[in-house]
Amino acid sequence: MLKINTLLTICCFTLFFSCKDDVNTTFEDINITTENNSVVEVNIPKAVGNKTVSSVINSEIEKEVIANLHLGEPNAINAKSIEESINNFNKEFETFQTDFPEISQPWEAQIDGEIMFSSPEIISLALTSYMNTGGAHGMLKVSFLNFDATTGKTIPNKNLINDTEVFKQIALPYFKEATKDKDIFEPELDAFKLPENIGYNDEGIVLLYNAYEIAPYSTGIIEFEIPFNKIESYLAFNSAR
């Protein structure tokens, strides 16, 4: 009887730890390309671990990459995979070369992703996209994706913060400090808008405004961080890893 109880205990511990490992989501870096690709570079994290959670996260990352590689109206995206998007981008470049042979400047597109923060509650990821289709300068864009670590579903910015108005009061001085040497209008609280990109990192909450979001392209990206100890009580998700 003792041997049976011991065996059952071992089995329970084994099942517990295997289930625990299966819940955790980790990431591996992958490079995605196609056979005839010459102008697109895609390096992104791929979620592994719990199959359900990983599948949802990877699907959202794929959608964002496809959108960033798309040329034309956002509502006209028809690519079903990153590979198809890469091929479409290359075909557009080949068509451009045929139509304008006198223009020798090559196109390029690069997308790099990194995990900014990961905890049992929330995962924050940054995708940096650079695209040049022969213009005077390329376009740089950063996108933050926040995921519920238990489901893999994306978290809207409004659900990251418990009290948006108080959060804006705390964020405004950091915004003014980050933009004090830039030629942009400094808003008062009632006109201050939070950026499209808000995410977690190891030290606090990161707020990032892409070029054109609140200022001319020449101003570049505006980014600043609010330490966790200044904002902790207003966060909807625990900052502890």
Side-chain angles (χ1 to χ4, degrees):
M1 188 68 177
L2 180 61
K3 290 184 178 180
I4 294 176
N5 288 336
T6 303
L7 182 59
L8 287 173
T9 302
I10 293 172
C11 289
C12 287
F13 272 104
T14 302
L15 181 60
F16 171 78
F17 283 109
S18 63
C19 289
K20 185 178 179 182
D21 290 340
D22 191 45
V23 170
N24 292 335
T25 301
T26 58
F27 291 84
E28 58 184 25
D29 295 327
I30 61 171
N31 171 268
I32 301 177
T33 188
T34 58
E35 184 177 352
N36 298 314
N37 174 41
S38 60
V39 294
V40 179
E41 181 81 15
V42 176
N43 302 290
I44 56 174
K46 178 183 178 181
V48 295
N50 181 286
K51 291 183 179 180
T52 302
V53 174
S54 297
S55 177
V56 176
I57 291 175
N58 290 331
S59 177
E60 291 299 325
I61 295 173
E62 183 176 50
K63 287 179 186 177
E64 189 69 22
V65 173
I66 290 172
N68 288 343
L69 287 176
H70 176 70
L71 299 174
E73 295 297 326
N75 58 1
I77 297 175
N78 53 23
K80 298 297 189 293
S81 68
I82 294 175
E83 289 82 358
E84 186 177 352
S85 290
I86 292 173
N87 286 332
N88 288 345
F89 192 92
N90 277 271
K91 288 175 183 177
E92 290 282 352
F93 174 53
E94 291 168 1
T95 300
F96 180 83
Q97 282 186 312
T98 300
D99 294 342
F100 303 97
E102 70 280 6
I103 300 178
S104 59
Q105 182 178 345
W107 288 16
E108 61 177 320
Q110 180 163 347
I111 299 178
D112 295 302
E114 65 171 335
I115 301 301
M116 302 165 56
F117 184 88
S118 181
S119 78
E121 291 189 5
I122 185 170
I123 298 167
S124 292
L125 178 148
L127 278 179
T128 302
S129 304
Y130 175 79
M131 185 180 296
N132 193 329
T133 55
H137 54 72
M139 290 294 297
L140 180 66
K141 175 187 174 185
V142 179
S143 303
F144 290 170
L145 296 175
N146 296 293
F147 301 100
D148 184 322
T150 63
T151 65
K153 294 181 179 180
T154 54
I155 305 168
N157 285 348
K158 64 180 181 179
N159 293 345
L160 292 173
I161 312 299
N162 288 323
D163 191 326
T164 302
E165 293 307 313
V166 174
F167 182 80
K168 286 172 64 177
Q169 292 177 29
I170 297 172
L172 182 56
Y174 288 90
F175 173 84
K176 290 184 175 181
E177 177 64 24
T179 58
K180 64 180 181 182
D181 297 325
K182 299 182 184 294
D183 186 21
I184 66 171
F185 172 74
E186 290 192 354
E188 296 304 318
L189 182 61
D190 59 348
F192 176 54
K193 294 183 178 180
L194 295 174
E196 294 180 3
N197 289 307
I198 300 175
Y200 282 55
N201 72 5
D202 288 340
E203 306 301 326
I205 297 297
V206 181
L207 288 81
L208 185 147
Y209 297 82
N210 277 299
Y212 293 129
E213 191 173 344
I214 58 168
Y217 181 84
S218 58
T219 303
I221 288 174
I222 297 170
E223 181 180 9
F224 58 93
E225 176 187 292
I226 305 176
F228 281 131
N229 61 5
K230 302 294 184 181
I231 203 75
E232 191 81 59
S233 59
Y234 302 104
L235 299 180
F237 294 87
N238 195 324
S239 63
R241 284 182 180 270

